[in-house]
Every structure is written in C-alpha cells, then in structure tokens.
Amino acid sequence: MHLQEISDPVVKENHVLVQVHSAGVNLLDSKIKNGEFKIFLPYKMPLVLGHDVAGVITKTGSNVRRFKVGDEVYARPADRRIGGFAQLIAIDEADLALKPKRLTMDEAASVPLVALTAWQALVEKADLKKGQKVFIQAGSGGVGTIAIQLAKYIGAIVATTTGTTNVEWVRALGADTVIDYQTEDFEGILRDYDVVLNSQDTRTLKKSLRVLKPGGKLISISGPPDLGFAKQIRLGWPLKMIMWLLSFGIRRKAKRQHVNYSFLFMRAEGDQLSKITALIDSGIISPIVDKVFPFGKTDEALTYVEGGHAKGKVVIRVN
Ligand SMILES: NC(=O)c1ccc[n+]([C@@H]2O[C@H](COP(=O)([O-])OP(=O)(O)OC[C@H]3O[C@@H](n4cnc5c(N)ncnc54)[C@H](OP(=O)(O)O)[C@@H]3O)[C@@H](O)[C@H]2O)c1
C-alpha cells in the first residue's frame, strides 16, 4: 500500500460524506490486497482498502433522510464501495448507523464488520436460542470476542478455542468452556452442539461436523463458499457452479452426519448495526481493541493482523 493524495469521493444522492476519524483493520483487507476474492469481488487498482470506519458526517446527498451533518457515525461500507483507509469516504446511508455514545472513535471503528458477522451468523443464519449450545472458534479474535458476548446475551451456552495465554481472558468474556487449541483437541471435548461458527482451516471445519448433534448447523466464515452465497451476491451460472463444487465435499459430509452446512460472507447493513449500537450502549457488548496504529503505519497494522494473533481488533487512527 502507498499513502497518496487522491480526489475527494463523489457524494451521490443517497450518500453521506464521512470524515474518517478511525478505521478498523480486517483480514478481508489483506485477502483483497492478495487477490484472494478476485473471482467475486473484481476490484480495479488503484484501490483504497478499509472495511470499517467511524467518523463525522460533513455532507449529505439530496435523498438522505436519517442522518445530518455533524452526526457521529460508524459503518461497514458495502462491497465495491469500501475505502476506509482514507480521510474521507462516501457511504450509502443504508449502510450507516449512529456511533455508540459509550465508545471512542477508535473503539467504534473496531465494531461494524465483526459485529455484523456475528449477528448474521448467530441471529440470522443460526437463529440461536436461549439454552442452545454454540461453539465459536477463536474466541480471542475480532469475530470471536463479539460473537461470544452476543451468544451469551441470547442465553446460549458457549464453547470456544484460543491459545494458552488467552484462556482465562476469554473465559472472562463469558465463554462457558474454553479449549486451549495448543494443548487440547476440541473434537474430544465438545458433544451435541446446536451451532458451530467456523473461522479456521479445512481440517477444523471437518472436525467441527463431529461436535454437532443431528439437525445442528455448521456456519463457516472461512469457506468454502456455497450456492446460497453465489445466489446472494447474484453471480452468473458458471460461478454458481464453481461455488457449488467448492462446497460439494463438506456438504456431502454434513449430509451424512445429518447436519446443515452453510457459508456466510457478511454484508453491510445499517439497520442491524443500529441494533448493535443499542446493545453496546446498554453495556451488553463491549468491543476489544488490541492496538491502535497511526495512519502512516497502515501497512504495519495489516501485517500485525495477518500474524493471526490479534487479541480483539486493530484500528488505524486517521484523523
Ligand atoms: N466470511 C465473512 O463474512 C467473514 C467475516 C469476518 C471474518 N472472516 C474470516 O474469519 C476469520 C477470523 O477472523 P477474525 O477477524 O476474527 O480473525 P483474527 O481477529 O485475526 O483472529 C485472531 C485470533 O485467532 C486466534 N487463533 C489463531 N489460531 C487459532 C486456532 N487454530 N484456533 C483458535 N483460535 C486461533 C488467535 O488466538 P491466539 O493469539 O491465542 O492464537 C487470535 O486471537 C478470518 O479468516 C477472516 O477472514 C470472515
């Protein structure tokens, strides 16, 4: 990545212009930089990365009704409209929510992508209910820290994995069972789970099938993509077939175990983010920020996240 002067974004009628205070860093930024998602997110270079922002509205488009100049907001801008690693970004008002009052700008910028992922996995896809058992992998990561708190709020019984040094810390976040992935194997410990939120490699995905009870749901955010996802983002038939084939093996194994497999690629959604704002302001969910980097060190921030051991989230202070 290079730091560069570019022209101000165009503010269309449904857009607001946000002066970015802080920007959250996600592995998705690295994956797009490395070309991993070219097949369904064909970004053109040069590209401003950045999938999470918190800042202040400085201008509104003619059709904007819910926000005004001066509002403190946060968002995960929609795919193809990203660009949070910048001083200004134009965001569709449908993707925006008021920033939680309780949070600093840095904390707020850490929330949208991971909290929407947790919401769309546990509330939308899993329809997680009080008393159900959910296994959330990597409880000390960006998604895991929020997903544990959301699942506990729903009333679920939560198991998670993390490294040795984070075990007690993750337990304090609310997890009922914490498995040290460096010394223990979750497959031999967990039984009859209703839901697994998979965020790790293929081996972990396959093992996850065996901790579910019949009728359980395996939701993966780290692949492989499936036909439902291809339909969601309206891919053409050739790509639909590719997605169907990529997930064929795990779907077949899931069927044999009488469980359901689905892939989730989170989407921008201002209304859901507003519900998350309410949970944060009432103290139910608290984001965890591991490190804040200055704007000029965005590359370092990305490298740190790519290391795979961030404790919560990493944020860039832009302004
Ligand atoms: N599909 C989607 O919509 C979507 C959305 C968000 C994220 N994702 C993907 O989901 C994955 C997780 O994202 P994230 O932002 O939560 O990652 P992250 O914050 O970078 O995860 C880092 C955490 O993972 C833990 N960890 C590392 N190896 C582990 C293992 N083998 N078992 C359990 N925990 C382990 C680390 O704990 P230790 O330091 O203790 O090792 C660290 O705290 C990424 O692949 C990301 O791209 C997908």
Side-chain angles (χ1 to χ4, degrees), residues 105-289:
M105 286 284 185
D106 290 342
E107 288 168 332
S110 78
V111 171
L113 188 142
V114 289
L116 287 168
T117 304
W119 185 281
Q120 287 165 19
L122 301 181
V123 178
E124 246 182 31
K125 256 190 189 290
D127 192 22
L128 188 66
K129 296 274 186 280
K130 189 176 175 186
Q132 285 192 320
K133 297 203 293 185
V134 59
F135 170 36
I136 295 164
Q137 294 163 8
S140 48
V143 176
T145 48
I146 300 282
I148 289 172
Q149 297 177 70
L150 181 60
K152 287 310 293 178
Y153 166 66
I154 291 168
I157 298 156
V158 179
T160 192
T161 43
T162 190
T164 313
T165 53
N166 289 325
V167 168
E168 287 316 315
W169 181 80
V170 170
R171 207 185 304 281
L173 274 180
D176 301 283
T177 304
V178 184
I179 297 162
D180 178 349
Y181 75 84
Q182 290 164 330
T183 59
E184 299 169 297
D185 186 354
F186 70 82
E187 197 189 344
I189 299 171
L190 307 178
R191 280 280 167 277
D192 293 331
Y193 272 65
D194 297 281
V195 178
V196 176
L197 175 52
N198 177 80
S199 57
Q200 304 299 307
D201 57 8
T202 311
R203 199 169 149 260
T204 309
L205 182 74
K206 286 180 186 157
K207 289 203 305 183
S208 296
L209 285 173
R210 297 191 276 273
V211 310
L212 284 162
K213 68 182 188 193
K217 294 173 187 164
L218 172 56
I219 299 166
S220 177
I221 56 172
S222 53
D226 61 3
L227 186 59
F229 164 65
K231 285 181 181 163
Q232 177 199 322
I233 60 165
R234 299 199 182 96
L235 293 178
W237 268 109
L239 286 178
K240 275 189 183 139
M241 279 307 294
I242 290 173
M243 304 286 161
W244 184 85
L245 280 170
L246 284 172
S247 56
F248 180 75
I250 190 71
R251 283 187 291 107
R252 194 174 55 176
K253 284 192 174 66
K255 205 170 171 186
R256 281 196 201 126
Q257 306 265 149
H258 306 287
V259 302
N260 175 272
Y261 171 78
S262 66
F263 172 70
L264 169 71
F265 190 77
M266 63 78 57
R267 55 176 204 287
E269 175 75 67
D271 287 344
Q272 284 177 357
L273 195 54
S274 296
K275 290 178 184 160
I276 291 160
T277 299
L279 293 182
I280 292 172
D281 274 336
S282 48
I284 290 161
I285 289 179
S286 296
I288 314 284
V289 175

Side-chain angles (χ1 to χ4, degrees), residues 57-92:
I57 296 180
T58 57
K59 190 175 176 180
T60 56
S62 56
N63 280 353
V64 170
R65 296 286 170 265
R66 291 165 40 222
F67 300 95
K68 59 181 190 316
V69 170
D71 280 350
E72 293 191 334
V73 291
Y74 70 152
R76 187 293 199 197
D79 291 320
R80 295 162 202 263
R81 299 218 49 89
I82 63 167
F85 300 160
Q87 290 169 313
L88 294 171
I89 181 172
I91 304 178
D92 194 311

